[in-house]
Amino acid sequence: MSSVIESLELAQLRRVPNFDAGDRLRVHFQVIEGARRRTQVFEGVVIKRQGHGARETFTVRKQSFGVGVERTFPLHSPKIEKIEVAARGDVRRAKLYYLRSRVGKRARVRERRSTRPEEVVAHELLHAPPPVEDAVPAPTTEAGNGADVAVSEPVVETDEAAASDPAGAPEE
């Protein structure tokens, strides 16, 4: 693959918690309805995780009013605000398609018992964006009498000789 494409994909990677198939997740993602934007939570069992890099996806399945609902999320999507691991599953497969044909107690996944504490991972960029070269600082604004007034900081050039003599008198 091209190094340009690899560098663009590397910049899009985000920090995510470690999880596998069988784990129960709470995925907080943004939903846009008209002009409103809100956060919706989808909680269910991960039945598969596929792909790698910026194209990696995972599928979460839950039962909603007796109907199985599956949703596939891009792992590094900026619309995902947070991923919480609610429980670790004890399974032996990477793809849990057999859960689709099961209902009720048979569709449950055993919980793995471990003594390790869960690590909390913020959903932030994995690699910091590169610094922008030749950037001009934006003028700051000051609130005054209800109107925003742009205030730019004056640029003061100092001369070494003038800096050593605070009175500003010429040297003899």
Side-chain angles (χ1 to χ4, degrees):
M1 196 182 306
S2 171
S3 63
V4 175
I5 295 174
E6 287 176 1
S7 65
L8 288 173
E9 287 187 354
L10 191 66
Q12 294 175 356
L13 296 181
R14 297 182 172 275
R15 290 178 108 60
V16 292
N18 292 331
F19 65 90
D20 291 316
D23 295 349
R24 194 168 68 240
L25 295 184
R26 272 186 219 105
V27 182
H28 300 257
F29 62 98
Q30 294 177 358
V31 176
I32 300 171
E33 297 170 337
R36 288 186 35 200
R37 178 176 292 190
R38 65 182 177 89
T39 301
Q40 187 174 7
V41 180
F42 192 91
E43 182 174 357
V45 176
V46 178
I47 63 168
K48 70 177 174 177
R49 190 169 170 173
Q50 65 183 17
H52 67 281
R55 298 183 187 107
E56 187 172 357
T57 61
F58 63 100
T59 302
V60 180
R61 179 181 176 82
K62 73 175 183 176
Q63 290 285 330
S64 180
F65 300 104
V67 178
V69 178
E70 291 183 4
R71 180 142 187 196
T72 302
F73 298 98
L75 185 63
H76 299 286
S77 171
K79 292 200 175 216
I80 294 179
E81 291 181 358
K82 184 169 45 170
I83 298 174
E84 297 177 15
V85 180
R88 299 280 179 182
D90 188 18
V91 295
R92 297 182 183 179
R93 297 172 183 254
K95 307 283 195 278
L96 305 180
Y97 297 135
Y98 66 88
L99 290 178
R100 292 175 176 165
S101 62
R102 297 190 177 179
V103 180
K105 286 187 177 182
R106 296 192 60 190
R108 287 187 304 182
V109 175
R110 280 192 320 263
E111 188 171 342
R112 185 182 341 157
R113 303 204 181 248
S114 66
T115 57
R116 289 187 314 187
E118 290 291 330
E119 60 185 59
V120 177
V121 177
H123 197 67
E124 59 194 21
L125 287 175
L126 189 59
H127 303 283
V132 178
E133 300 284 329
D134 301 329
V136 177
T140 59
T141 59
E142 259 183 34
N145 297 342
D148 291 339
V149 179
V151 177
S152 60
E153 306 223 0
V155 178
V156 179
E157 294 183 13
T158 59
D159 191 39
E160 289 182 19
S164 63
D165 188 19
E171 292 186 26
E172 296 176 24

